[in-house]
Amino acid sequence: MMTFIWVSLILILLSMLGLMYRVYKGPSIPDRLIALDAIGILIISATALLAIIFDTKFFIEVILLIAIMAFIGTVSFSKFIEKGEIIERDRNR
Amino acid sequence: MKTNDVILQTTTKVVFFIIFLFSIHIFFAGHYTPGGGFVGGLLTTGALLLLLLAFDLKTVRKALPFNFLIVVALGLLIALLTSAWPMLFNEPFLTHAFGDYDLPFLGESSLHTATLFDLGVYLVVVGAGMTMIQTIGGDT
């Protein structure tokens, strides 16, 4: 069972390397943004596997926190790409 | 050109309460598990930041009509009062008291005055974060 978890951790690291290549080489900014979002998801799964390896349940809150932060970061950056400003002063004007 | 953000706004209306409840949980779980006032305050600031992203600064100011500098001052006042309160009973500064109480609905629970100090930290973090975000994001 532990071998299975280590193998999946190594697979996650390899796919993180592939996404790093997309962040480095992405032709447009949305490519890099989506790659960063997917790296956040991979960090979540790596944290879950590390929680199994270390045999602790204290990492569960870290998982939720990384998910929330990745969501807020992606939303704010895509709003910056779309509109050029992140927080508007008055939308109904 | 008016943009149509109905998906973002509807998602925000659901996700905001999830993040807010999670921050409250992390705030109260700080004594026995990871968490505490600082992370809880940062998560509440993140939830309010999500509201600011989906709606605009004026709407959020109308929904939450606080001056967040006053929230910072209130948090510092709570922390100072809870740490200075034992000096009235000939105890050193920052002495905390705790005890087991039988609450009506929650059953037997252990209450600690460090939670009140943590509430001060929480209010300071929320107030400082929201002041920075509103000051930088507004009035360009």
Side-chain angles (χ1 to χ4, degrees), chain B residues 11-35:
Chain B
T11 313
T12 299
K13 280 173 196 163
V14 179
V15 167
F16 170 73
F17 290 103
I18 299 174
I19 302 178
F20 191 68
L21 280 179
F22 181 54
S23 76
I24 298 294
H25 163 73
I26 262 190
F27 170 71
F28 279 112
H31 199 74
Y32 293 113
T33 56

Side-chain angles (χ1 to χ4, degrees), chain A residues 2-18 42 45-46 49-50 53:
Chain A
M2 282 322 254
T3 333
F4 178 68
I5 288 168
W6 279 105
V7 166
S8 21
L9 198 58
I10 287 170
L11 284 178
I12 282 173
L13 285 181
L14 284 180
S15 41
M16 216 181 275
L17 274 182
L42 285 182
S45 26
L49 289 175
L50 282 178
I53 286 173

Side-chain angles (χ1 to χ4, degrees), chain B residues 23-24 26-27 36-48 118 121-127 129-130:
Chain B
S23 76
I24 298 294
I26 262 190
F27 170 71
F38 188 75
V39 190
L42 279 185
L43 260 180
T44 309
T45 313
L48 295 177
D118 229 12
V121 175
Y122 176 85
L123 288 180
V124 168
V125 171
V126 171
M130 284 309 286

Side-chain angles (χ1 to χ4, degrees), chain B residues 58-74:
Chain B
K58 206 175 154 193
T59 314
V60 177
R61 274 220 180 108
K62 207 163 71 182
L64 298 167
F66 308 134
N67 185 0
F68 282 97
L69 282 176
I70 293 181
V71 176
V72 175
L74 194 68

Side-chain angles (χ1 to χ4, degrees), chain A residues 29-41 66-82 86, chain B residues 8 49-50 53:
Chain A
I29 295 179
D31 285 334
R32 296 187 165 121
L33 181 57
I34 290 174
L36 280 177
D37 197 27
I39 284 178
I41 306 297
I66 295 172
I68 290 167
M69 287 304 144
F71 175 65
I72 292 177
T74 308
V75 166
S76 53
F77 212 99
S78 46
K79 200 170 167 189
F80 177 69
I81 289 175
E82 188 192 355
I86 300 178
Chain B
L8 177 62
L49 174 63
L50 188 61
L53 287 175

